[in-house]
Amino acid sequence: MLSRRDFIKRCRDISVAVFGAEIFAADIAEGFMKIAASKRPQIAFVQGQSCTGCTVSMTYGNETDFIDFVTRLVRVQVHPNLSFSQGHGYMQLLDSVTSAGGHVLVLEGSIPARMKKACLLGEEPLYNALKKHLEKASAVVACGTCACSGGIPASGRNETGSIDIAQYMRQVGINKPLIKIPGCPIQPDRLMGTVAYIVATGRLPEMKNNIPVKYFGDLIHNNCHRFQYFSQDIYLKDFNTDKHSCLLKKGCRGTITKSDCPTRRWNGGVNVCVESNTPCVGCVNEKWPFKENIYYESRNIEDLPWNDFKKNVLGRGGK
């Protein structure tokens, strides 16, 4: 059994890991106490058109505490990858949980609305089967960019007619609190932190367009550790020889993408895309994957004033 000292330390560690500061430790401690005194919220995961990358990210991400999260903070009653029940057993368990109601339904992946048999849930097309699992949910969480805005399945010609969960809910007449947590894949802190906040406070976090402001409130560009190179007009020209200069003219979309990636980082805080000398592709942007080429040809934009360059960037699918 945890001592009081260990319990407080664990709450402080979670606050730092999830929110980037210790200030929420008291809220998290209160949340855990509420959980201990009451039934934990039930979570039901459903996967649509996806690569399962978000689930993989959640289990292999920053948080070695993910197992604690799913076993102590919430009750992950149904998950196609994590549940012991598979096949018919999974479907029976899913029906049992969602028919009782009050659950939080987490959707990973998009929903084919035209070629409906492109994705099945049990024996039914996901498009037909999903509605009944949403009807009694207390809230819906879109896990990853595919669920939030269609992602890769909805890109290009979108042969299957993929739609995101908000579009689906409008089409089938479902009106539930919706929280979108984009990312390809999802950053585990953002999912666990959002759920922890709801459990601890009993209310939804501050959101804009259904997206938590806490995690997606500022441009990546503004907190990028290469910003000093941008401010000095030092741009990367050769990936082989330059590992530090600004990646803006290599197509970095940090200028049009709001996320706390530079400060939250990935893989236990080890790195982030830009730090690995890779331009941000804007995977949390609702326009991603963009219709236009990601990378610029430097010769076409070299020596452009920042204002003109910014217009160029914004004209390529950003907002």
Side-chain angles (χ1 to χ4, degrees):
M1 176 180 293
L2 285 176
S3 66
R4 182 179 182 279
R5 180 188 295 274
D6 290 338
F7 174 69
I8 297 299
K9 182 178 182 303
R10 173 63 67 88
C11 293
R12 188 176 64 239
D13 292 344
I14 292 174
S15 178
V16 172
V18 174
F19 298 107
E22 296 181 4
I23 59 174
F24 292 102
D27 291 334
I28 291 174
E30 183 181 355
F32 278 122
M33 293 172 67
K34 287 181 180 177
I35 293 166
S38 62
K39 293 179 63 176
R40 292 172 291 163
Q42 294 192 91
I43 308 290
F45 274 79
V46 174
Q47 290 176 333
Q49 287 179 296
S50 73
C51 64
T52 322
C54 289
T55 289
V56 174
S57 178
M58 282 190 291
T59 54
Y60 285 90
N62 282 3
E63 304 307 316
T64 53
D65 287 331
F66 177 74
I67 299 302
D68 284 347
F69 172 78
V70 298
T71 56
R72 299 181 183 180
L73 179 62
V74 298
R75 286 181 294 167
V76 178
Q77 294 294 88
V78 196
H79 192 295
N81 302 119
L82 302 178
S83 297
F84 286 109
S85 299
Q86 299 291 315
H88 291 298
Y90 163 78
M91 292 305 303
Q92 290 174 355
L93 192 56
L94 178 64
D95 289 339
S96 172
V97 170
T98 59
S99 62
H103 59 287
V104 175
L105 190 137
V106 181
L107 176 70
E108 176 182 349
S110 58
I111 305 155
R114 185 167 57 243
M115 189 187 296
K116 295 180 179 178
K117 290 186 178 180
C119 183
L120 302 179
L121 182 61
E123 302 294 331
E124 289 185 86
L126 176 64
Y127 187 95
N128 298 340
L130 185 58
K131 182 180 178 181
K132 66 179 180 183
H133 300 299
L134 290 170
E135 287 177 332
K136 294 185 178 180
S138 59
V140 180
V141 176
C143 174
T145 297
C146 294
C148 291
S149 53
I152 289 177
S155 65
R157 297 176 61 181
N158 192 4
E159 297 286 355
T160 62
S162 292
I163 57 176
D164 58 55
I165 185 63
Q167 291 175 291
Y168 177 80
M169 289 168 66
R170 285 195 295 272
Q171 288 187 12
V172 299
I174 296 287
N175 184 21
K176 299 285 181 181
L178 172 64
I179 306 168
K180 296 180 179 179
I181 308 176
C184 186
I186 194 170
Q187 215 282 1
D189 293 352
R190 296 168 183 154
L191 176 67
M192 291 187 284
T194 299
V195 174
Y197 181 90
I198 295 171
V199 172
T201 65
R203 61 178 184 270
L204 299 177
E206 179 185 359
M207 295 192 290
K208 184 176 182 180
N209 298 326
N210 298 107
I211 296 175
V213 173
K214 174 71 180 178
Y215 302 117
F216 305 98
D218 197 5
L219 291 173
I220 290 174
H221 177 70
N222 292 342
N223 295 296
C224 180
H225 73 283
R226 300 192 182 197
F227 189 88
Q228 60 177 315
Y229 295 97
F230 162 79
S231 65
Q232 299 175 58
D233 290 333
I234 301 174
Y235 299 104
L236 186 142
K237 295 180 179 177
D238 187 342
F239 285 106
N240 292 322
T241 58
D242 188 352
K243 308 295 182 185
H244 302 288
S245 300
C246 178
L247 292 161
L248 186 62
K249 292 188 177 180
K250 289 296 184 183
C252 183
R253 296 192 186 277
T255 53
I256 58 171
T257 304
K258 291 184 175 181
S259 168
D260 63 354
C261 289
T263 53
R264 184 161 305 281
R265 303 165 68 84
W266 291 76
N267 304 321
V270 172
N271 59 6
V272 67
C273 301
V274 172
E275 197 162 305
S276 299
N277 216 28
T278 304
C280 168
V281 299
C283 74
V284 303
N285 192 305
E286 64 178 2
K287 300 290 185 181
W288 185 85
F290 301 91
K291 292 181 180 178
E292 302 83 2
N293 294 330
I294 292 177
Y295 298 103
Y296 290 99
E297 293 293 334
S298 292
R299 63 178 179 274
N300 295 332
I301 54 177
E302 203 68 50
D303 299 325
L304 279 178
W306 167 236
N307 283 340
D308 291 342
F309 186 84
K310 192 173 181 180
K311 292 176 184 175
N312 195 323
V313 171
L314 297 181
R316 295 171 68 88
K319 294 193 298 182

